[in-house]
Amino acid sequence: MDLHLWVLLAVSIHAAAGQPTTLSPLFIPQISSFNYPGTISVTTFQMKAPLCFFNFGLCSNQCNVWAVVASASTGVANFPVGNSLTSAVFTSSQYSAAFQANGLQYYMALVGNTTSFTCKQPTPINSVIRIGSNPTCTGNDCNGPVPPNTVVRVRYLLSDSLNTKIFQVTAWSSPIKLVTPLDYNSIDTWFGKRSGGMIVITSILSSLTGILLLLLGAMFMLTCSGYFQGKEEISTNNPTALGPVSMKQYSFHQRTTPPSTTTSSADP
């Protein structure tokens, strides 16, 4: 029997005794290894999911998987441990008040169930958990945004479907520093701060735009002036000594027919 099965057996016996067990030798939560943009942002971050670590056989029906999000110092210290870790933890620190001045500095986020983190091939979809992904929730199981510029730690927890009993918990993750938002007033927009390549590209694009506008204006003026209106020509197919003859046709406002001239003979 390999080490993994021995540990699961020991965990099952310990959980049967009514005390949650720690999976720290097997699983320590950490930032996802997938190179996604925004893995750590101002209010959210992406964690590696606890695939194939929890013993879901401890639940008679279905298990719930929770993420505990706590400030790295005060929140971790306030979170109950050992025999103090009971089902009361699910309602003791709601998200809406967790990070206020008098809050416990941690909250519980429901992130999955029995079918969410089974032993299967990791994919970019099933192997990550986005902490702080729900900006509208306010309840006990809220996965709401984390306050900006906060250092937090995360641990996972396994409970029954009614959240009346806690079976297993993981160790705490390493401290995770969220991105500090940049004050827009501190952004230097002076042109001299641009790189040389950016200045060259901007100048070329500006020059090409000006040339294009000049060409469009010239084409418009020539079209309006009738420069491209052709003259109708009449060709004859009768060959001459010099070849086919091409004559231009002109229109006149008046046409007059010259009087006919008759020749009369004088009487002898």
Side-chain angles (χ1 to χ4, degrees), residues 69-71 74-75 78 89-108 137-147:
V69 184
S71 62
T74 308
N78 288 338
V89 73
F90 295 110
T91 57
S92 61
S93 182
Q94 296 189 8
Y95 167 77
S96 57
F99 289 102
Q100 294 182 5
N102 58 348
L104 294 177
Q105 306 302 306
Y106 72 84
Y107 68 90
M108 309 280 294
C137 65
T138 57
N140 293 334
D141 58 351
C142 178
N143 187 14
V146 183

Side-chain angles (χ1 to χ4, degrees), residues 216-237:
L216 289 176
M219 291 290 293
F220 179 76
M221 293 178 61
L222 291 175
T223 302
C224 293
S225 64
Y227 179 82
F228 293 106
Q229 294 178 0
K231 297 179 180 180
E232 183 179 1
E233 295 186 352
I234 302 176
S235 300
T236 177
N237 292 327

Side-chain angles (χ1 to χ4, degrees), residues 1-13 26 52-53 55 119 168:
M1 186 179 295
D2 59 18
L3 178 62
H4 189 205
L5 293 178
W6 276 112
V7 172
L8 289 179
L9 180 60
V11 164
S12 301
I13 296 173
L26 290 178
C52 200
F53 286 103
N55 181 10
C119 294
Q168 295 173 299

Side-chain angles (χ1 to χ4, degrees), residues 3 6 39 80 107 115 138 158 173-174 189-190 216 221 254:
L3 178 62
W6 276 112
T39 298
Y107 68 90
T115 60
T138 57
L158 181 70
S173 68
S174 300
T189 58
W190 181 53
L216 289 176
M221 293 178 61
Q254 274 189 327

